[in-house]
Amino acid sequence: MSEQHEVPLPPHLAAAWGLRERPTRGPKRGLSLERIVDAGVKVAESDGLAAVSMSRVAARLGASTMALYRYVTSKDELLALMMDAAIGPPPADLPTPEGWRDALNQWARQERASLLRQPWVLHVPLRSPPLTPNQIAWLEWGLRCLRGTGLPAYQKMSVILAVSNYVWRTTTIEADLMEAVKAAGSTVDDRFAGYGQILARLADPRRFPEVHAAIAEGAFDDGGDEELDFEFTFGLERVLDGIDVLVRRVGGAEQAG
């Protein structure tokens, strides 16, 4: 039997969990990992993820770029720590719904709200499964929603992944749309206004008969913020419908939410 070796801990995880020794002295008094991460978040909030660099964060802190490397080993490490800080922990003051479905619905909506507060997070490259403290706290909450379903642990993890993938994908589209609207100095309502009419002129009804049937039924008449909320809710409910089938089959009909 081959000997198992301990998996080395990446630097950003050691920093995130407080397992890395911190510098006791340095050229900039008052500099800390927390201040560096906070400065990076503020740069991303004001100017977007592309504006984040070690030199830009250092300038915001009034420190040299080299001074930052005493606390973070690379920009990738900084981004991972910024992402965890921006997502934050799950809200602690929410009532717990009865039934797994309502609980998971709440979990998904709160994750969406967290991402919309810091939309730059959606464009941070994901280089590993969730491992930072706040990510694990959200995972813990999600798994807690599935207590009593009868699902084995690996299926609970797959359920959380499926719901989270839906939330991240739809929220990315929503955030990108909102950014485009902001850059154009318009509104979401303006962006959708007349979409059906324009589509009707551009799409040949002989080539796209189903599209024209949808136009005739008014499927493209609505838009705006309320439409975005409706589409998120509609899609989430369909995802939960699929999970409900799994819970009933694996956990028993009496366990379903």
Side-chain angles (χ1 to χ4, degrees), residues 206-219:
R206 292 168 298 181
R207 182 180 178 187
F208 304 105
E210 297 302 324
V211 171
H212 274 265
I215 293 171
E217 291 186 27

Side-chain angles (χ1 to χ4, degrees), residues 1-210:
M1 181 181 294
S2 60
E3 182 181 352
Q4 289 188 342
H5 298 281
E6 184 174 300
V7 178
L9 200 61
H12 76 279
L13 292 179
W17 289 93
L19 301 176
R20 188 169 68 193
E21 185 177 348
R22 300 188 178 192
T24 57
R25 60 183 180 176
K28 177 67 177 178
R29 294 191 59 161
L31 201 59
S32 68
L33 181 62
E34 291 77 12
R35 287 192 64 209
I36 293 170
V37 171
D38 182 65
V41 169
K42 285 183 167 58
V43 171
E45 286 176 337
S46 61
D47 299 315
L49 182 64
V52 177
S53 67
M54 298 294 278
S55 59
R56 179 74 180 273
V57 173
R60 188 178 184 96
L61 291 166
S64 69
T65 302
M66 290 306 298
L68 267 60
Y69 285 103
R70 293 177 58 83
Y71 298 85
V72 289
T73 61
S74 66
K75 179 182 173 181
D76 283 346
E77 179 181 325
L78 176 59
L79 289 177
L81 296 173
M82 286 168 50
M83 181 178 180
D84 194 61
I87 290 174
D93 56 349
L94 296 176
T96 302
E98 293 185 8
W100 70 264
R101 182 168 182 142
D102 287 343
L104 201 55
N105 187 307
Q106 182 187 80
W107 181 86
R109 291 179 179 281
Q110 290 298 323
E111 184 177 45
R112 178 193 182 217
S114 174
L115 294 172
L116 287 175
R117 284 192 295 270
Q118 300 280 0
W120 58 268
V121 167
L122 294 159
H123 298 290
V124 176
L126 298 179
R127 305 188 187 281
S128 74
L131 286 168
T132 51
N134 287 326
Q135 288 177 324
I136 299 304
W138 281 87
L139 175 60
E140 172 70 19
W141 182 18
L143 292 173
R144 193 163 61 243
C145 294
L146 297 172
R147 277 181 186 166
T149 58
L151 297 178
Y154 81 93
Q155 288 190 347
K156 290 179 182 178
M157 286 294 299
S158 294
V159 165
I160 295 302
L161 180 62
V163 175
S164 189
N165 282 346
Y166 171 77
V167 173
W168 277 68
R169 178 57 181 160
T170 56
T171 307
T172 298
I173 294 172
E174 181 176 351
D176 287 349
L177 174 62
M178 298 302 294
E179 182 63 27
V181 165
K182 180 181 177 181
S186 61
T187 66
V188 177
D189 288 334
D190 292 337
R191 183 62 57 129
F192 281 101
Y195 175 59
Q197 295 178 16
I198 295 173
L199 189 59
R201 291 208 313 267
L202 295 175
D204 185 338
R206 292 168 298 181
R207 182 180 178 187
F208 304 105
E210 297 302 324

